[in-house]
Amino acid sequence: MSATLERPFDAPADIDLRGHGQPLVDKTFRWILFLCLFIGIAFLAVLLAYVIIKGWPRLDSRLWTNMPSIRRPEQAGAQSAITGTLWVIAFTALFSLPIGFLSAVYLEEYAKPTSRFARFVEVNIQNLAAVPSIVYGILGLAIFARALALGQTVITAGLTLALLVLPVVIVSTREALRAVPQNIRHGSLALGATLWQTTWRQTMPAAVPGMATGTILALSRAIGEAAPLLLLGAVTFISFNPTGPFSAYTTLPIQIYNWTKESREEFQVLAAATIVLLLVILLAMNAVAILIRNRTQKRW
Amino acid sequence: MSELHDPNAPQATSDLSNTGRMDVSAVLDEGRASVPDSIREVVFNLDDVHIFYGDFEAVSDVTMQIGKNEITAFIGPSGCGKSTLLRSFNRMNDLIPGARVEGLLAYHGFNIYAPEVDPIEVRRRIGMVFQKPNVFPKSIYENVAYGPKVNGMKVNMDDLVEDCLTRAALWDEVKDDLKKSAYALSGGQQQRLVIARCIAVKPEVILMDEPCASLDPIATAKIEDLMKELAADYTIVIVTHNMQQAARVSDRTAFFTADVDAKGVRHGRLVEYGPTRSIFTAPNEPRTEDYISGRFG
C-alpha cells in the first residue's frame, strides 16, 4: 500500500475523494472562537498569578493563626475573618436552605402547573436573582439591623445573605427536582403512597445530588460577597473571633477590602495572600460540588 | 401453564403479514380460551364513560364490564384511548392537569370518581405496571418493601419481600443480591421487580400499560407466563399493541379504535368486546376483523 492516494485506472472520472483544503472562513472562525476563550482564561490566569506572587511572602500559618493588627502588619493575620466567614455562612445556610428547598418543593411538586400564582412567583424569583447585592444590604440594614434591632451582628449578615442566595437555591432545587423522571413519582403514587410520601421518600432523595451542587454554588457566592456586608457594619476593625449569633464579626472579603485601603506595602501583600486563601476556599467548595455531581450521577 | 416459553420453538406468532393475514388464532391459549360469554363476577362496571383532556374528548362512550380473576386485554391502534382508559381505572389520570372522567366507572359498585373518594385508597387496591420499568433508585429489597411501608402494613417484611419476589418469578435470580441497586437488573428483571413491588401491597387488580413494550421476546415470554399465574389471585387488565400477546394471555379482549368526527378530531371508541377466542376467530365487527388480520392499524 502506498501512502498517497493513487487513482485506480478504472475509476469513474467524476470521483475525487481528495479534500479541497479547509475554506478560509472555516479556519478564521475557529481562531476567533479560540481567541475569545483565550482572553477570558488569560485574564483569570494573570490575576491568579499576580495575587499568588504578590501574596507569597505572607502565605504561611500567620495568615490563619493571627488576628488583624493595624500597627504591626508583619504580625497581622485573618483569623477573625476566617471564623467570621464560617459563622456567617453557617447562618446563611441555616436560613436559606430549608426555606429554599421547601419553596422549590411547593412550586415543583405541589402547585398545579396551571396555577397563576405559581407562575407569578416563578417569574419574580428569576427577577430577584438579578437584583444587585447592595440592594439586599440596604434591605438588611433597614429591616434586620434597625427595625428588628438585631444590630450589626452575625445573625443580621446571615439573614441578609440568606435572602440574597434564596432565589439561587430555589431555582437550582427546582431544576434538580425536575430532573427526577416523572415515572418514579407515578410508580410511587400507583402504590398508594401520598404526595408527601412520594416527595419525601422518592423525589427528594433522587434530587439530592443536584440540590447539593446548587446549594454549594449558592453558598460560595455568599462567601465571596462584600457589598451587602459593607452596609451591615462588617467594616469595623475586629480582632476577636465571633462568640455567637449576636457577636460582631468581619469576613474575608471585608478584611481584604480593609487591607487594600491601607497605604503600607505590607498590608497590600497581606491582602493578596488573603485573596489567595479566599480563592482556595471557593475552589475547594466548587470541587466538592463537582465531586458530588460526578459520584452520584444516576442512570434512570 | 407455567413452563417458560422455549425461545427456540417455532414462533407461530411471527409476522405472517406477507400472506395477507396474521393467523393469531394459532397462539390462543387453550387453557384460558374457555371463558363463558358472560362475566361471572364483575370488578369494574363502566357505563357511558367519557374521558376528557380539557375540551378534548379522548375516549367517548365506553360501556363494558371487567371480570374478576380474568385477564382482559385492550387492543387497538395508537391514539385510540386504551391507555387513557386504563389509567382512569386507578385515577392515575388525576395527575394530568385538565383530565376528567364523565359517566360511571364503578369498582365493585362504588363510583371511584365520587367526590368523597380518596385516589390513594383506590390505588392501594388497584395497582399499576407501566410501559417502561420504573424501578426506584434504591435496592431490590427496598423497591418491594416501599409499598407496604408507605401503606403502614404490619407484616414481616423479609417474608413479604421473599414471597413477592417468588411470585414474580424473580427470587432465584436476585436472592443473593437483595441489597444491590435495582438498576443493576436487566429490563425484563426490572419489570418483574415492578410486578413484585405491585403485588406487595396486596391489590385486587393489576393494571398493565404495555408492560412488555421495552422488552425482548424472552423477557416478554416470562412476563406473560407470570401474568397467567397471577390471574388465579388477581384481576389483570393489560393494554398491548401486540395482538399475539393479547391472544396468548387474555381471557377477554376489547378492541378500541379512533373515530374521526366532523371537525377532524379523533375520539377513542370501544368497537368490540368479548371472549378473546371469539374476537380473534369470529369477530362481529368488520373493523375488528380488519385490525386483527393486519389490514389496518
Side-chain angles (χ1 to χ4, degrees), chain A residues 113-114 181-195 197-199 201-202 205-206 298-300, chain B residues 87 92 95 97 120 123-124 126-128 130 132 134-138 146-147 149-151 183-184 197-198 201:
Chain A
T114 48
Q182 202 63 3
N183 64 23
I184 287 183
R185 295 180 182 86
H186 286 179
S188 172
L189 291 169
L191 288 169
T194 62
L195 186 52
Q197 288 168 329
T198 301
T199 305
R201 291 169 177 242
Q202 297 291 351
K298 290 255 152 62
R299 46 191 213 100
W300 307 111
Chain B
R87 293 166 71 90
M92 287 304 280
L95 305 174
I120 288 156
R123 293 179 198 138
R124 280 176 190 174
I126 305 167
M128 187 158 210
F130 298 82
K132 202 176 153 216
N134 58 346
V135 297
F136 299 136
K138 296 179 185 299
Y146 177 76
K149 258 189 221 162
V150 296
N151 286 305
Y183 282 116
R197 186 177 81 186
C198 180
V201 296

Side-chain angles (χ1 to χ4, degrees), chain A residues 54-90:
Chain A
K54 180 148 191 191
W56 190 254
R58 287 304 313 272
L59 271 174
D60 53 36
S61 63
R62 278 177 295 172
L63 196 58
W64 51 87
T65 52
N66 291 3
M67 293 295 173
S69 161
I70 292 174
R71 300 222 173 73
R72 286 179 297 177
E74 73 284 354
Q75 289 295 320
Q79 198 193 48
S80 59
I82 295 170
T83 52
T85 294
L86 292 179
W87 273 93
V88 169
I89 282 305

Side-chain angles (χ1 to χ4, degrees), chain B residues 101-162:
Chain B
V101 173
E102 285 178 9
L104 177 70
L105 207 168
Y107 169 69
H108 288 294
F110 295 97
N111 180 4
I112 65 165
Y113 283 88
E116 63 271 27
V117 169
D118 183 353
I120 288 156
E121 288 300 323
V122 174
R123 293 179 198 138
R124 280 176 190 174
R125 289 169 176 78
I126 305 167
M128 187 158 210
V129 174
F130 298 82
Q131 180 173 349
K132 202 176 153 216
N134 58 346
V135 297
F136 299 136
K138 296 179 185 299
S139 72
I140 294 167
Y141 183 96
E142 285 173 283
N143 262 276
V144 182
Y146 177 76
K149 258 189 221 162
V150 296
N151 286 305
M153 286 164 63
K154 299 269 181 286
V155 288
N156 181 329
M157 201 59 85
D158 291 351
D159 291 349
L160 181 68
V161 169
E162 177 172 349

Side-chain angles (χ1 to χ4, degrees), chain B residues 59-296:
Chain B
V59 174
S60 79
D61 187 21
V62 173
T63 298
M64 69 190 300
Q65 294 180 327
I66 307 281
K68 188 171 172 64
N69 292 7
E70 290 186 357
I71 302 179
T72 307
F74 289 181
I75 61 170
S78 299
C80 69
K82 54 195 190 301
S83 280
T84 296
L85 184 66
L86 187 80
R87 293 166 71 90
S88 68
F89 281 23
N90 68 341
R91 295 195 55 168
M92 287 304 280
N93 272 348
D94 290 18
L95 305 174
I96 299 165
R100 128 182 145 263
V101 173
E102 285 178 9
L104 177 70
L105 207 168
Y107 169 69
H108 288 294
F110 295 97
N111 180 4
I112 65 165
Y113 283 88
E116 63 271 27
V117 169
D118 183 353
I120 288 156
E121 288 300 323
V122 174
R123 293 179 198 138
R124 280 176 190 174
R125 289 169 176 78
I126 305 167
M128 187 158 210
V129 174
F130 298 82
Q131 180 173 349
K132 202 176 153 216
N134 58 346
V135 297
F136 299 136
K138 296 179 185 299
S139 72
I140 294 167
Y141 183 96
E142 285 173 283
N143 262 276
V144 182
Y146 177 76
K149 258 189 221 162
V150 296
N151 286 305
M153 286 164 63
K154 299 269 181 286
V155 288
N156 181 329
M157 201 59 85
D158 291 351
D159 291 349
L160 181 68
V161 169
E162 177 172 349
D163 183 48
C164 293
L165 287 171
T166 307
R167 300 220 56 189
L170 190 59
W171 175 252
D172 290 336
E173 293 162 55
V174 301
K175 62 183 174 208
D176 300 323
D177 301 322
L178 292 178
K179 299 281 171 237
K180 277 198 189 161
S181 165
Y183 282 116
L185 299 175
S186 72
Q189 289 175 320
Q190 287 189 9
Q191 198 63 299
R192 277 179 283 151
L193 177 60
V194 169
I195 292 171
R197 186 177 81 186
C198 180
I199 58 182
V201 296
K202 307 206 182 305
E204 185 193 349
V205 182
I206 304 175
L207 307 174
M208 297 186 171
D209 190 357
E210 295 183 48
C212 304
S214 58
L215 304 181
D216 66 38
I218 296 170
T220 299
K222 283 187 183 169
I223 301 275
E224 288 178 5
D225 286 331
L226 178 58
M227 283 166 60
K228 290 182 199 169
E229 277 188 30
L230 292 173
D233 299 305
Y234 303 92
T235 301
I236 297 176
V237 186
I238 173 178
V239 162
T240 177
H241 266 121
N242 181 331
M243 279 177 289
Q244 287 87 356
Q245 182 168 63
R248 281 195 296 262
V249 300
S250 72
D251 300 307
R252 289 178 205 278
T253 298
F255 170 61
F256 294 82
T257 191
D259 278 351
V260 181
D261 68 9
K263 290 181 205 139
V265 183
R266 294 159 66 90
H267 304 291
R269 202 177 281 281
L270 175 63
V271 176
E272 189 169 359
Y273 178 45
T276 298
R277 170 161 287 276
S278 41
I279 292 281
F280 280 99
T281 54
N284 290 326
E285 292 277 335
R287 281 193 293 182
T288 314
E289 165 95 44
D290 285 352
Y291 186 74
I292 62 170
S293 59
R295 276 198 288 269
F296 137 77

